[in-house]
Amino acid sequence: MLQYERIAHSKITKKFRAEGQQLLFSRGKGGEVSDANGVPYIDFVMGYGPVIIGHSDDLFNEILGGYLTNGIMMPGFTTFHQEYLERLLGERPGDRGAFFKTASEAVTAAFRLAAMRTGRLGIVRSGYVGWHDSQIANSLKWHEPLHSPLREKLRYTDGMRGIGESEPVLNWVDLRLESLSELLERHRGRLGCFVFDAYLASFTTPDVLRQAVAMCREAGLLTVFDETKTGGRISALGYDHDNGIGSDLIVIGKALANGAPLSILVGGADLLAHAERARLSGTFSKEMIAVYAALATRDILEKPTQDAPDGWAEVGRIGTEVAAVLSAAAKEAGVADLLGARPVLGGGMFELVYHDEALLGDKERREALLGALTGAGILLLEGHPSFVSLAHRDLDWSDFHDRARRAFQDWNGADRG
Ligand SMILES: Cc1ncc(COP(=O)(O)O)c(C=O)c1O
């Protein structure tokens, strides 16, 4: 038996089970993954969003392999980083980008820039924006020898969080402008940053978000649109850019590099000029595999496909179709009064929707649904958007429909039983 017990799991890495056992995956190809026993599953988790072309895509692998002959880490940034930003930000000539591996890093960077710019540590937050706390505040120059005069001086003392008492983090819960205005008023003078998970844009309108950003700016906050789930997935740059929301900073991540770890903080040159003073980089910021993967991803997604002007539009079409099949299967299984599925922000993501109030509040029954879908060979997320890739174009759609119907019937039957 494989020793997966050695892995320290988080809640999200142990979601999927079969016959009481947690699944351990061994392979992915196209829109499918296989577990350690060789059992295949249609995969709508896609690594929680990063995989956008598909698992182990032949063309992607070929382009990536070609780049690898240049090496994977140089003393500093490379022509490949430069080329990638040129392509990513071509339509935003005034903008610059800072490279990170994870979006948590990029969001932490945005918080720090905001605090340095405004002198205020408080944050208004909407949505999940990452998991970091402060790691470098008030630190020494650790690599200096013990007796070095440079060693002891405390550094990185401004713009840090998690170290004082005057740094509120407030939730903008209901996305009403009145409540945002109340928060801004009540905590006036202590708030430096507004951060918004672009997925929540599906709960409101571009107009409300444009007003929210304008209100926050008026109150002196730096505004951050967190496009970790959406940037490079719903379109090349994401929701803020497409809808002219006008935030000061944009965080993009996940889908940029088809699964390789890359996240980028985008903003005006004047703002990103503080990156050096703010110490916004680490050893792997200049790593090249993810940038190669991002260039390969763009090579593929930028091209028109048979049915769509580019890969992002095609991914949207595919996700819309997936949601429609799930809804149709729910109807056929006689559970359409309980649930269905809908595309999110154009279809690069989709989500289950619960029409029944009791079910909506029933965590156990909702989790049982995930179990039934896994049992039928479909992996997706619940209580979170699911993700599609270009490779799902080649799904056996009628097999997918049958599996989904069976899962819904099993789930409903087990519940009644
Ligand atoms: C909107 C948003 N921001 C930030 C993060 C954190 O990203 P990472 O896991 O790459 O640190 C996530 C991850 O799901 C996210 O969805």
Side-chain angles (χ1 to χ4, degrees), residues 48 101-105 107 127-132 196-199 226-229 251 254 263 384:
Y48 268 76
K101 299 285 91 191
T102 72
S104 298
E105 288 177 85
V107 172
Y128 174 72
V129 294
W131 59 274
H132 281 184
F196 188 86
D197 173 4
Y199 158 71
D226 181 356
E227 305 258 11
T228 301
K229 293 193 252 316
V251 172
K254 291 201 193 262
S263 185
H384 191 285

Side-chain angles (χ1 to χ4, degrees), residues 28-33 43-64 67 84 87 231-234 253-260 290-303 305 310-316 318-319 348 387-395:
K29 186 71 192 166
E32 271 190 11
V33 289
D43 179 13
F44 293 124
V45 181
M46 289 285 130
Y48 268 76
V51 182
I52 184 146
I53 292 166
H55 297 290
S56 191
D57 177 80
D58 290 342
L59 179 57
F60 173 79
N61 286 348
E62 188 188 318
I63 303 172
L64 179 61
Y67 279 122
Y84 183 65
R87 286 169 71 175
R233 172 165 283 281
I234 65 167
K254 291 201 193 262
L256 296 180
N258 198 35
V291 177
Y292 296 154
L295 286 165
T297 303
R298 273 198 87 95
D299 282 350
I300 295 170
L301 290 177
E302 275 171 356
K303 293 212 170 62
T305 68
D310 56 42
W312 295 286
E314 177 71 350
V315 167
I318 294 166
F387 302 94
V388 295
S389 70
L390 273 186
H392 288 105
R393 181 163 51 189
D394 302 327
L395 263 180

Side-chain angles (χ1 to χ4, degrees), residues 140-153 155:
L140 317 185
K141 207 163 186 182
W142 296 111
H143 298 110
E144 287 290 310
L146 289 175
H147 58 273
S148 165
L150 299 179
R151 184 179 168 82
E152 299 281 340
K153 183 165 177 276
R155 299 177 343 134

